[in-house]
PDB file of all heavy atoms in Angstrom:
ATOM      1  N   ASP X   1     -62.502 -18.341  10.827  1.00 94.00           N
ATOM      2  CA  ASP X   1     -63.513 -19.337  11.119  1.00 94.00           C
ATOM      3  C   ASP X   1     -64.733 -18.701  11.811  1.00 94.00           C
ATOM      4  O   ASP X   1     -65.856 -19.177  11.651  1.00 94.00           O
ATOM      5  CB  ASP X   1     -62.962 -20.406  12.032  1.00 94.00           C
ATOM      6  CG  ASP X   1     -62.060 -21.420  11.271  1.00 94.00           C
ATOM      7  OD1 ASP X   1     -62.410 -21.722  10.149  1.00 94.00           O
ATOM      8  OD2 ASP X   1     -61.037 -21.810  11.862  1.00 94.00           O
ATOM      9  N   ARG X   2     -64.474 -17.669  12.606  1.00 96.00           N
ATOM     10  CA  ARG X   2     -65.569 -17.023  13.308  1.00 96.00           C
ATOM     11  C   ARG X   2     -66.573 -16.361  12.374  1.00 96.00           C
ATOM     12  O   ARG X   2     -67.766 -16.449  12.525  1.00 96.00           O
ATOM     13  CB  ARG X   2     -65.002 -16.008  14.275  1.00 96.00           C
ATOM     14  CG  ARG X   2     -65.904 -15.579  15.359  1.00 96.00           C
ATOM     15  CD  ARG X   2     -65.179 -14.760  16.461  1.00 96.00           C
ATOM     16  NE  ARG X   2     -63.753 -14.463  16.172  1.00 96.00           N
ATOM     17  CZ  ARG X   2     -63.304 -13.235  15.925  1.00 96.00           C
ATOM     18  NH1 ARG X   2     -64.087 -12.190  15.925  1.00 96.00           N
ATOM     19  NH2 ARG X   2     -62.014 -13.056  15.665  1.00 96.00           N
ATOM     20  N   ASP X   3     -66.026 -15.661  11.357  1.00 95.00           N
ATOM     21  CA  ASP X   3     -66.886 -14.919  10.406  1.00 95.00           C
ATOM     22  C   ASP X   3     -67.083 -15.697   9.062  1.00 95.00           C
ATOM     23  O   ASP X   3     -67.806 -15.199   8.204  1.00 95.00           O
ATOM     24  CB  ASP X   3     -66.246 -13.588  10.093  1.00 95.00           C
ATOM     25  CG  ASP X   3     -66.225 -12.668  11.287  1.00 95.00           C
ATOM     26  OD1 ASP X   3     -67.049 -12.814  12.221  1.00 95.00           O
ATOM     27  OD2 ASP X   3     -65.319 -11.775  11.348  1.00 95.00           O
ATOM     28  N   ASN X   4     -66.397 -16.823   8.924  1.00 96.00           N
ATOM     29  CA  ASN X   4     -66.461 -17.558   7.655  1.00 96.00           C
ATOM     30  C   ASN X   4     -66.195 -16.660   6.440  1.00 96.00           C
ATOM     31  O   ASN X   4     -66.960 -16.607   5.470  1.00 96.00           O
ATOM     32  CB  ASN X   4     -67.800 -18.255   7.463  1.00 96.00           C
ATOM     33  CG  ASN X   4     -67.954 -19.375   8.432  1.00 96.00           C
ATOM     34  OD1 ASN X   4     -67.009 -20.102   8.744  1.00 96.00           O
ATOM     35  ND2 ASN X   4     -69.158 -19.578   8.965  1.00 96.00           N
ATOM     36  N   THR X   5     -65.013 -15.981   6.544  1.00 97.00           N
ATOM     37  CA  THR X   5     -64.671 -15.070   5.478  1.00 97.00           C
ATOM     38  C   THR X   5     -63.129 -15.043   5.297  1.00 97.00           C
ATOM     39  O   THR X   5     -62.398 -15.365   6.212  1.00 97.00           O
ATOM     40  CB  THR X   5     -65.206 -13.651   5.733  1.00 97.00           C
ATOM     41  OG1 THR X   5     -64.990 -12.849   4.572  1.00 97.00           O
ATOM     42  CG2 THR X   5     -64.516 -13.021   6.923  1.00 97.00           C
ATOM     43  N   TRP X   6     -62.715 -14.666   4.122  1.00 98.00           N
ATOM     44  CA  TRP X   6     -61.295 -14.456   3.850  1.00 98.00           C
ATOM     45  C   TRP X   6     -60.994 -12.996   4.206  1.00 98.00           C
ATOM     46  O   TRP X   6     -61.703 -12.098   3.778  1.00 98.00           O
ATOM     47  CB  TRP X   6     -60.938 -14.733   2.392  1.00 98.00           C
ATOM     48  CG  TRP X   6     -60.845 -16.178   2.113  1.00 98.00           C
ATOM     49  CD1 TRP X   6     -61.811 -16.918   1.487  1.00 98.00           C
ATOM     50  CD2 TRP X   6     -59.788 -17.085   2.414  1.00 98.00           C
ATOM     51  NE1 TRP X   6     -61.398 -18.234   1.405  1.00 98.00           N
ATOM     52  CE2 TRP X   6     -60.147 -18.335   1.935  1.00 98.00           C
ATOM     53  CE3 TRP X   6     -58.544 -16.903   2.993  1.00 98.00           C
ATOM     54  CZ2 TRP X   6     -59.323 -19.469   2.088  1.00 98.00           C
ATOM     55  CZ3 TRP X   6     -57.715 -17.976   3.127  1.00 98.00           C
ATOM     56  CH2 TRP X   6     -58.113 -19.262   2.664  1.00 98.00           C
ATOM     57  N   ASN X   7     -59.906 -12.743   4.907  1.00 98.00           N
ATOM     58  CA  ASN X   7     -59.468 -11.407   5.235  1.00 98.00           C
ATOM     59  C   ASN X   7     -58.165 -11.104   4.512  1.00 98.00           C
ATOM     60  O   ASN X   7     -57.376 -11.997   4.155  1.00 98.00           O
ATOM     61  CB  ASN X   7     -59.265 -11.286   6.755  1.00 98.00           C
ATOM     62  CG  ASN X   7     -60.569 -11.383   7.479  1.00 98.00           C
ATOM     63  OD1 ASN X   7     -61.441 -10.537   7.339  1.00 98.00           O
ATOM     64  ND2 ASN X   7     -60.736 -12.498   8.235  1.00 98.00           N
ATOM     65  N   ASP X   8     -57.920  -9.840   4.283  1.00 98.00           N
ATOM     66  CA  ASP X   8     -56.682  -9.270   3.696  1.00 98.00           C
ATOM     67  C   ASP X   8     -56.484  -9.760   2.237  1.00 98.00           C
ATOM     68  O   ASP X   8     -55.355  -9.823   1.793  1.00 98.00           O
ATOM     69  CB  ASP X   8     -55.451  -9.615   4.552  1.00 98.00           C
ATOM     70  CG  ASP X   8     -55.452  -8.876   5.890  1.00 98.00           C
ATOM     71  OD1 ASP X   8     -56.086  -7.805   5.957  1.00 98.00           O
ATOM     72  OD2 ASP X   8     -54.852  -9.361   6.800  1.00 98.00           O
ATOM     73  N   VAL X   9     -57.547  -9.984   1.526  1.00 98.00           N
ATOM     74  CA  VAL X   9     -57.492 -10.391   0.110  1.00 98.00           C
ATOM     75  C   VAL X   9     -56.907  -9.238  -0.677  1.00 98.00           C
ATOM     76  O   VAL X   9     -56.011  -9.407  -1.520  1.00 98.00           O
ATOM     77  CB  VAL X   9     -58.885 -10.802  -0.428  1.00 98.00           C
ATOM     78  CG1 VAL X   9     -58.799 -11.035  -1.953  1.00 98.00           C
ATOM     79  CG2 VAL X   9     -59.385 -12.052   0.280  1.00 98.00           C
ATOM     80  N   ASP X  10     -57.351  -8.009  -0.423  1.00 97.00           N
ATOM     81  CA  ASP X  10     -56.841  -6.821  -1.136  1.00 97.00           C
ATOM     82  C   ASP X  10     -55.386  -6.598  -0.832  1.00 97.00           C
ATOM     83  O   ASP X  10     -54.600  -6.186  -1.685  1.00 97.00           O
ATOM     84  CB  ASP X  10     -57.640  -5.587  -0.815  1.00 97.00           C
ATOM     85  CG  ASP X  10     -59.048  -5.641  -1.386  1.00 97.00           C
ATOM     86  OD1 ASP X  10     -59.265  -6.357  -2.392  1.00 97.00           O
ATOM     87  OD2 ASP X  10     -59.938  -4.957  -0.851  1.00 97.00           O
ATOM     88  N   LYS X  11     -54.987  -6.864   0.412  1.00 98.00           N
ATOM     89  CA  LYS X  11     -53.565  -6.709   0.786  1.00 98.00           C
ATOM     90  C   LYS X  11     -52.704  -7.711   0.000  1.00 98.00           C
ATOM     91  O   LYS X  11     -51.640  -7.374  -0.480  1.00 98.00           O
ATOM     92  CB  LYS X  11     -53.391  -6.934   2.291  1.00 98.00           C
ATOM     93  CG  LYS X  11     -52.007  -6.735   2.776  1.00 98.00           C
ATOM     94  CD  LYS X  11     -51.934  -6.899   4.289  1.00 98.00           C
ATOM     95  CE  LYS X  11     -50.522  -6.728   4.799  1.00 98.00           C
ATOM     96  NZ  LYS X  11     -50.439  -6.907   6.262  1.00 98.00           N
ATOM     97  N   ALA X  12     -53.167  -8.965  -0.092  1.00 98.00           N
ATOM     98  CA  ALA X  12     -52.451  -9.942  -0.851  1.00 98.00           C
ATOM     99  C   ALA X  12     -52.382  -9.575  -2.326  1.00 98.00           C
ATOM    100  O   ALA X  12     -51.337  -9.748  -2.969  1.00 98.00           O
ATOM    101  CB  ALA X  12     -53.101 -11.340  -0.705  1.00 98.00           C
ATOM    102  N   ALA X  13     -53.479  -9.050  -2.854  1.00 98.00           N
ATOM    103  CA  ALA X  13     -53.498  -8.610  -4.263  1.00 98.00           C
ATOM    104  C   ALA X  13     -52.469  -7.493  -4.504  1.00 98.00           C
ATOM    105  O   ALA X  13     -51.761  -7.480  -5.505  1.00 98.00           O
ATOM    106  CB  ALA X  13     -54.891  -8.144  -4.655  1.00 98.00           C
ATOM    107  N   SER X  14     -52.391  -6.574  -3.577  1.00 97.00           N
ATOM    108  CA  SER X  14     -51.415  -5.476  -3.663  1.00 97.00           C
ATOM    109  C   SER X  14     -49.980  -6.004  -3.604  1.00 97.00           C
ATOM    110  O   SER X  14     -49.097  -5.566  -4.392  1.00 97.00           O
ATOM    111  CB  SER X  14     -51.646  -4.468  -2.570  1.00 97.00           C
ATOM    112  OG  SER X  14     -50.708  -3.440  -2.624  1.00 97.00           O
ATOM    113  N   GLU X  15     -49.746  -6.961  -2.730  1.00 98.00           N
ATOM    114  CA  GLU X  15     -48.389  -7.575  -2.637  1.00 98.00           C
ATOM    115  C   GLU X  15     -48.053  -8.298  -3.921  1.00 98.00           C
ATOM    116  O   GLU X  15     -46.896  -8.267  -4.375  1.00 98.00           O
ATOM    117  CB  GLU X  15     -48.310  -8.525  -1.452  1.00 98.00           C
ATOM    118  CG  GLU X  15     -48.315  -7.828  -0.091  1.00 98.00           C
ATOM    119  CD  GLU X  15     -48.297  -8.776   1.053  1.00 98.00           C
ATOM    120  OE1 GLU X  15     -47.942  -9.971   0.900  1.00 98.00           O
ATOM    121  OE2 GLU X  15     -48.588  -8.339   2.206  1.00 98.00           O
ATOM    122  N   LEU X  16     -49.041  -8.986  -4.490  1.00 97.00           N
ATOM    123  CA  LEU X  16     -48.786  -9.695  -5.758  1.00 97.00           C
ATOM    124  C   LEU X  16     -48.466  -8.711  -6.858  1.00 97.00           C
ATOM    125  O   LEU X  16     -47.507  -8.932  -7.644  1.00 97.00           O
ATOM    126  CB  LEU X  16     -49.998 -10.556  -6.157  1.00 97.00           C
ATOM    127  CG  LEU X  16     -49.825 -11.423  -7.386  1.00 97.00           C
ATOM    128  CD1 LEU X  16     -48.709 -12.411  -7.181  1.00 97.00           C
ATOM    129  CD2 LEU X  16     -51.141 -12.144  -7.705  1.00 97.00           C
ATOM    130  N   LYS X  17     -49.171  -7.615  -6.947  1.00 96.00           N
ATOM    131  CA  LYS X  17     -48.906  -6.595  -7.938  1.00 96.00           C
ATOM    132  C   LYS X  17     -47.461  -6.058  -7.761  1.00 96.00           C
ATOM    133  O   LYS X  17     -46.730  -5.926  -8.780  1.00 96.00           O
ATOM    134  CB  LYS X  17     -49.908  -5.450  -7.838  1.00 96.00           C
ATOM    135  CG  LYS X  17     -49.688  -4.343  -8.874  1.00 96.00           C
ATOM    136  CD  LYS X  17     -50.675  -3.214  -8.700  1.00 96.00           C
ATOM    137  CE  LYS X  17     -50.436  -2.126  -9.716  1.00 96.00           C
ATOM    138  NZ  LYS X  17     -51.341  -1.040  -9.559  1.00 96.00           N
ATOM    139  N   ASP X  18     -47.079  -5.748  -6.538  1.00 97.00           N
ATOM    140  CA  ASP X  18     -45.725  -5.254  -6.296  1.00 97.00           C
ATOM    141  C   ASP X  18     -44.685  -6.274  -6.720  1.00 97.00           C
ATOM    142  O   ASP X  18     -43.671  -5.939  -7.311  1.00 97.00           O
ATOM    143  CB  ASP X  18     -45.567  -4.925  -4.803  1.00 97.00           C
ATOM    144  CG  ASP X  18     -46.374  -3.702  -4.399  1.00 97.00           C
ATOM    145  OD1 ASP X  18     -46.850  -2.946  -5.234  1.00 97.00           O
ATOM    146  OD2 ASP X  18     -46.515  -3.510  -3.143  1.00 97.00           O
ATOM    147  N   TYR X  19     -44.929  -7.542  -6.398  1.00 97.00           N
ATOM    148  CA  TYR X  19     -43.999  -8.582  -6.734  1.00 97.00           C
ATOM    149  C   TYR X  19     -43.855  -8.736  -8.269  1.00 97.00           C
ATOM    150  O   TYR X  19     -42.728  -8.731  -8.792  1.00 97.00           O
ATOM    151  CB  TYR X  19     -44.403  -9.930  -6.148  1.00 97.00           C
ATOM    152  CG  TYR X  19     -43.557 -11.070  -6.627  1.00 97.00           C
ATOM    153  CD1 TYR X  19     -42.204 -11.156  -6.310  1.00 97.00           C
ATOM    154  CD2 TYR X  19     -44.096 -12.080  -7.414  1.00 97.00           C
ATOM    155  CE1 TYR X  19     -41.403 -12.174  -6.765  1.00 97.00           C
ATOM    156  CE2 TYR X  19     -43.339 -13.123  -7.888  1.00 97.00           C
ATOM    157  CZ  TYR X  19     -41.986 -13.179  -7.574  1.00 97.00           C
ATOM    158  OH  TYR X  19     -41.216 -14.199  -8.041  1.00 97.00           O
ATOM    159  N   VAL X  20     -44.972  -8.821  -8.959  1.00 96.00           N
ATOM    160  CA  VAL X  20     -44.912  -9.032 -10.404  1.00 96.00           C
ATOM    161  C   VAL X  20     -44.245  -7.837 -11.128  1.00 96.00           C
ATOM    162  O   VAL X  20     -43.543  -8.006 -12.121  1.00 96.00           O
ATOM    163  CB  VAL X  20     -46.338  -9.276 -10.980  1.00 96.00           C
ATOM    164  CG1 VAL X  20     -46.350  -9.285 -12.507  1.00 96.00           C
ATOM    165  CG2 VAL X  20     -46.843 -10.630 -10.489  1.00 96.00           C
ATOM    166  N   SER X  21     -44.371  -6.657 -10.539  1.00 94.00           N
ATOM    167  CA  SER X  21     -43.714  -5.469 -11.172  1.00 94.00           C
ATOM    168  C   SER X  21     -42.221  -5.577 -11.113  1.00 94.00           C
ATOM    169  O   SER X  21     -41.514  -4.873 -11.867  1.00 94.00           O
ATOM    170  CB  SER X  21     -44.194  -4.192 -10.490  1.00 94.00           C
ATOM    171  OG  SER X  21     -43.698  -4.068  -9.187  1.00 94.00           O
ATOM    172  N   THR X  22     -41.663  -6.463 -10.283  1.00 94.00           N
ATOM    173  CA  THR X  22     -40.192  -6.637 -10.199  1.00 94.00           C
ATOM    174  C   THR X  22     -39.678  -7.688 -11.129  1.00 94.00           C
ATOM    175  O   THR X  22     -38.445  -7.830 -11.269  1.00 94.00           O
ATOM    176  CB  THR X  22     -39.762  -7.010  -8.751  1.00 94.00           C
ATOM    177  OG1 THR X  22     -40.222  -8.321  -8.466  1.00 94.00           O
ATOM    178  CG2 THR X  22     -40.268  -6.020  -7.746  1.00 94.00           C
ATOM    179  N   ILE X  23     -40.570  -8.416 -11.783  1.00 93.00           N
ATOM    180  CA  ILE X  23     -40.136  -9.546 -12.680  1.00 93.00           C
ATOM    181  C   ILE X  23     -39.722  -8.978 -14.019  1.00 93.00           C
ATOM    182  O   ILE X  23     -40.449  -8.212 -14.635  1.00 93.00           O
ATOM    183  CB  ILE X  23     -41.286 -10.564 -12.845  1.00 93.00           C
ATOM    184  CG1 ILE X  23     -41.645 -11.187 -11.490  1.00 93.00           C
ATOM    185  CG2 ILE X  23     -40.883 -11.634 -13.852  1.00 93.00           C
ATOM    186  CD1 ILE X  23     -42.921 -12.040 -11.546  1.00 93.00           C
ATOM    187  N   ASP X  24     -38.578  -9.353 -14.468  1.00 92.00           N
ATOM    188  CA  ASP X  24     -38.076  -8.942 -15.745  1.00 92.00           C
ATOM    189  C   ASP X  24     -38.735  -9.776 -16.900  1.00 92.00           C
ATOM    190  O   ASP X  24     -38.466 -10.964 -16.987  1.00 92.00           O
ATOM    191  CB  ASP X  24     -36.553  -9.101 -15.832  1.00 92.00           C
ATOM    192  CG  ASP X  24     -35.896  -8.632 -17.114  1.00 92.00           C
ATOM    193  OD1 ASP X  24     -36.629  -8.297 -18.112  1.00 92.00           O
ATOM    194  OD2 ASP X  24     -34.678  -8.609 -17.195  1.00 92.00           O
TER     195      ASP X  24
END
């Protein structure tokens, strides 16, 4: 709220990539 910005978007994207790589 202070900066009116989303933080850790790249971190979430990396976590999503790691998760999807485990899906058969």
Side-chain angles (χ1 to χ4, degrees):
D1 285 322
R2 199 168 5 111
D3 295 334
N4 290 324
T5 189
W6 284 100
N7 293 295
D8 292 334
V9 174
D10 291 335
K11 183 177 178 182
S14 179
E15 289 178 18
L16 184 61
K17 179 181 180 182
D18 291 346
Y19 172 66
V20 171
S21 71
T22 68
I23 298 171
D24 182 353

